[in-house]
Amino acid sequence: MRHETWRDGRLVSAVDLPDDPAAVAAATIESRLDAAIAANAAYLQLKSPTAAQVAAQVRLLTREVQGLLRLLRQRLEATDDV
């Protein structure tokens, strides 16, 4: 299986994924992290972002934080305090 990440109609990364579901999930998360870091870096390079760019960045960051919160919840729920 192959996971591809596209941005602005261009292929930015391609990863051949193993069939192991845990490895597939890890590779998918890694690819999404790379894309998020690149998008955030591009935004930070803008000297004077427009209102539309600011709004888009807020939406993007909100989705990213939601994903991080879900991952944290899964880790906390999986923790055994016994």
Side-chain angles (χ1 to χ4, degrees), residues 16-67:
D16 289 319
L17 302 173
D19 293 331
D20 174 32
V24 170
T28 300
I29 290 170
E30 186 73 29
S31 177
R32 289 180 182 172
L33 287 171
D34 290 342
I37 290 168
N40 290 339
Y43 178 80
L44 291 173
Q45 294 299 313
L46 298 174
K47 293 185 192 289
S48 297
T50 65
Q53 289 170 318
V54 171
Q57 183 69 6
V58 169
R59 283 190 300 275
L60 175 71
L61 292 173
T62 301
R63 282 194 306 271
E64 290 172 357
V65 169
Q66 281 294 97

Side-chain angles (χ1 to χ4, degrees), residues 59-76:
R59 283 190 300 275
L60 175 71
L61 292 173
T62 301
R63 282 194 306 271
E64 290 172 357
V65 169
Q66 281 294 97
L68 291 171
L69 291 171
R70 284 190 205 106
L71 286 173
L72 180 59
R73 176 180 282 161
Q74 289 173 357
R75 293 192 107 211
L76 291 175

